[in-house]
Amino acid sequence: MTITADYSEKIPNNVDLHEDRRLQRALESWQPNFLSWWESMGPTLPTQDVYLRTAVNVGREGWAHFGHVAMKDYRWGIFLAERDNYRRIGFGEHKDEDVWQKVPGEYRADLQRLIVIQGDTEPASVEQQRNLGATAPSLYDLRNLFQVNVEEGRHLWAMVYLLHAYFGREGREEAEELLHRNSGSEDSPRILGAFNEETPDWLSFFMFTYFTDRDGKYQLGTLKESAFDPLSRTCEFMLKEEAHHMMVGTTGVDRVVERTAQVMCEHDTDDVVAHGAIPLDVLQKYLNFHYSVSLDLFGGETSTNVANYYTAGLKGRWSEQRRKDDHRLTDDAFMVDALVDGQVGETEVAALVGLNTDLRREYISDCRNGVNRWNQILEHAGLPQRLALPHIAFNRRVGAFSGIEVSPSGEQLSIDEWDRRKDAWLPTDVDKTYVRSLMWPVHERGKIAAWIAPPRQGINGQPFDYDYVHLA
């Protein structure tokens, strides 16, 4: 059965919001605050309308409608994946019991905290990206940026709905705070460090949507396993939208690498600066930074909190059902990354305590797929250079390796040596200034900036030169 969104309501939804008038009024009172936040902290480039995908339903027969929409009129709403009446808890001490439709009192604080942290990341990325429209390399890319932005806004709505519907006054207060914190603010920053970093240029945006949104994919994947069924169903639908964000990052970096390779071959040189392309060593530095910052989002290598979340059934593992174990892990052990006698190594811990490492390794394996894609572009161009993920301990500020410095190849360094060599591995002010110097807007149909190749195909079967965005 397909669940259809009700677009006759002030807040589009498929959760029968009209049947709970108190909840409906609470969310309708939050809505103007959200719209005020969007106007003040959302995209700054004035537009008439944008070719956007809007959710229509969440069933197997399709869930998206494309059309030109004024962004201020985008129908943000509340959508949960279809309910499985036979679903049972898949892990932890409650394994095989019925999933929860209400929040158990003993887990209330932990569930609320997980939802708040996830919810805080959604508006943060909109704030980080709000000025990028002014330097978009094409209308196609501008449209993709705005699609990411409106869906991050909808993901905020998803978490706010859960807070309002299941956590009472405290939930409503937390929902308000999600609009009061701002990315990079000294007084009220976003909760997670990566969401207070700048996204000042499109190379950063592509790296962010590849690496940091991919972290979001894995975090949502663990929450999709939750015994709290409304959270599970919310995250399942969010994952559908998150896939587009990662596509933007993957193919965005593809196209930067492709253009750089073209310039290198055309001019038989590694020095592409004179020809307006981004050098491979600068691409590698941006990769190093965004990857290492995203690794920190997974937390420490060991965590008793995450162990407790798993045991309670609040947060599972990535692809929990494909795991060939008892899904309780009470007697299992796991090797985690660690400092052993001052050296990078591994140590054995209880499997429950090592779940952060388990998730981070799934993420790392996924990240390698993108790097392999980018290297295939270089190989097909006949170039010997290759991009690479840096060592897991490189530039880490959270977890076992936060107290040491390590080169991308894994060599442990003194503080002095790190300070002397880090400019070879991380973007310098000179690198950032050069990349920003390329960020001139190309807002004409069918045109594109010189530092990036055009996409191989457009959106929803449209050509690259389609009128994806009508500017104000």
Side-chain angles (χ1 to χ4, degrees):
M1 175 182 173
T2 295
I3 305 176
T4 302
D6 184 353
Y7 275 89
S8 67
E9 293 288 334
K10 185 175 181 181
I11 302 172
N13 70 92
N14 67 351
V15 294
D16 295 325
L17 190 59
H18 65 279
E19 294 184 359
D20 187 338
R21 289 298 182 184
R22 183 177 180 181
L23 174 60
Q24 184 178 27
R25 286 194 299 270
L27 288 169
E28 286 178 353
S29 70
W30 186 83
Q31 189 176 41
N33 297 333
F34 168 80
L35 293 174
S36 176
W37 166 83
W38 179 265
E39 286 297 316
S40 62
M41 299 302 296
T44 58
L45 184 70
T47 58
Q48 293 183 30
D49 54 46
V50 182
Y51 187 67
L52 294 174
R53 175 181 71 181
T54 305
V56 175
N57 65 64
V58 299
R60 296 179 180 85
E61 297 178 2
W63 56 277
H65 172 75
F66 285 85
H68 282 91
V69 179
M71 282 209 292
K72 64 182 179 61
D73 298 328
Y74 184 80
R75 301 305 306 276
W76 286 284
I78 301 160
F79 307 109
L80 276 65
E82 294 171 310
R83 181 172 172 178
D84 178 358
N85 292 323
Y86 300 100
R87 182 172 178 253
R88 299 292 181 267
I89 300 172
F91 60 94
E93 63 184 6
H94 300 290
K95 186 178 183 297
D96 297 328
E97 297 176 15
D98 289 342
V99 292
W100 312 321
Q101 302 304 329
K102 296 183 178 180
V103 178
E106 64 269 35
Y107 303 135
R108 184 183 184 86
D110 285 339
L111 270 172
Q112 180 175 299
R113 182 63 176 167
L114 288 171
I115 291 168
V116 167
I117 291 173
Q118 181 62 46
D120 194 70
T121 68
E122 312 297 351
S125 60
V126 177
E127 294 164 352
Q128 290 172 298
Q129 299 158 12
R130 64 189 306 259
N131 294 314
L132 287 178
T135 57
S138 73
L139 290 181
Y140 165 89
D141 291 294
L142 183 60
R143 177 263 166 213
N144 284 343
L145 167 69
F146 290 151
Q147 184 73 58
V148 170
N149 291 162
V150 296
E151 288 181 350
E152 299 291 18
R154 205 209 63 75
H155 294 175
L156 171 60
W157 268 98
M159 295 296 110
V160 165
Y161 163 72
L162 295 175
L163 291 171
H164 273 264
Y166 296 98
F167 295 91
R169 179 179 57 81
E170 289 183 358
R172 293 191 294 275
E173 291 173 353
E174 290 285 9
E176 289 296 331
E177 286 300 311
L178 291 173
L179 297 177
H180 293 157
R181 288 187 289 271
N182 294 132
S183 177
S185 168
E186 291 187 7
D187 298 327
S188 187
R190 292 297 175 183
I191 295 171
L192 300 177
F195 291 90
N196 290 300
E197 298 285 350
E198 287 185 296
T199 309
D201 57 69
W202 279 77
L203 180 57
S204 297
F205 173 65
F206 291 138
M207 292 292 180
F208 182 97
T209 47
Y210 184 81
F211 288 110
T212 306
D213 279 335
R214 194 166 303 276
D215 161 79
K217 164 188 168 180
Y218 282 88
Q219 301 298 342
L220 290 172
T222 63
L223 294 173
K224 183 177 76 71
E225 304 290 342
S226 179
F228 180 40
D229 200 44
L231 174 60
S232 171
R233 293 165 57 209
T234 296
C235 292
E236 183 176 348
F237 182 63
M238 288 169 68
L239 281 165
K240 291 177 182 286
E241 295 177 325
E242 200 73 25
H244 173 266
H245 307 183
M246 291 180 291
M247 182 281 291
V248 170
T250 303
T251 59
V253 180
D254 280 358
R255 293 159 53 215
V256 179
V257 173
E258 180 181 348
R259 180 57 185 154
T260 297
Q262 288 172 353
V263 172
M264 290 173 69
C265 293
E266 287 171 8
H267 299 277
D268 192 23
T269 181
D270 295 348
D271 183 10
V272 297
V273 169
H275 307 286
I278 300 177
L280 289 179
D281 67 321
V282 173
L283 282 170
Q284 181 68 62
K285 290 181 184 183
Y286 273 69
L287 184 162
N288 289 346
F289 173 76
H290 285 273
Y291 175 68
S292 59
V293 168
S294 298
L295 287 182
D296 280 349
L297 289 172
F298 290 87
E301 281 65 28
T302 60
S303 171
T304 54
N305 281 341
V306 173
N308 292 335
Y309 294 157
Y310 185 88
T311 298
L314 308 186
K315 185 177 180 182
R317 291 173 291 178
W318 177 259
S319 299
E320 182 70 44
Q321 298 310 310
R322 71 169 169 78
R323 308 298 185 114
K324 304 300 182 183
D325 52 42
D326 67 0
H327 303 278
R328 289 186 170 87
L329 308 181
T330 51
D331 300 319
D332 295 351
F334 190 76
M335 299 299 294
V336 300
D337 304 301
L339 276 183
V340 181
D341 297 327
Q343 301 297 311
V344 175
E346 292 186 339
T347 189
E348 185 175 83
V349 300
L352 284 169
V353 175
L355 288 175
N356 274 352
T357 295
D358 176 83
L359 187 62
R360 186 183 283 112
R361 287 176 181 169
E362 294 279 351
Y363 168 82
I364 291 170
S365 177
D366 197 358
C367 287
R368 289 195 183 104
N369 294 329
V371 177
N372 290 341
R373 283 175 61 115
W374 305 331
N375 285 335
Q376 285 174 4
I377 294 170
L378 296 173
E379 182 179 357
H380 291 160
L383 297 171
Q385 294 90 339
R386 298 293 181 266
L387 299 169
L389 294 179
H391 191 274
I392 193 172
F394 172 78
N395 194 40
R396 294 291 301 282
R397 300 297 174 255
V398 174
F401 306 127
S402 60
I404 63 170
E405 300 295 355
V406 173
S407 74
S409 63
E411 176 190 4
Q412 284 187 237
L413 308 172
S414 67
I415 297 297
D416 288 343
E417 191 169 8
W418 166 262
D419 287 339
R420 189 168 62 252
R421 299 174 65 186
K422 66 181 180 182
D423 285 354
W425 305 320
L426 292 170
T428 65
D429 288 341
V430 171
D431 297 326
K432 295 174 185 177
T433 299
Y434 172 68
V435 171
R436 292 182 198 183
S437 76
L438 301 177
M439 301 294 119
W440 288 90
V442 179
H443 291 162
E444 301 172 68
R445 285 181 60 176
K447 304 293 185 181
I448 193 165
W451 57 269
I452 186 170
R456 298 189 184 281
Q457 59 187 26
I459 296 296
N460 191 38
Q462 303 293 348
F464 168 66
D465 63 356
Y466 183 66
D467 60 336
Y468 289 106
V469 180
H470 295 132
L471 297 174

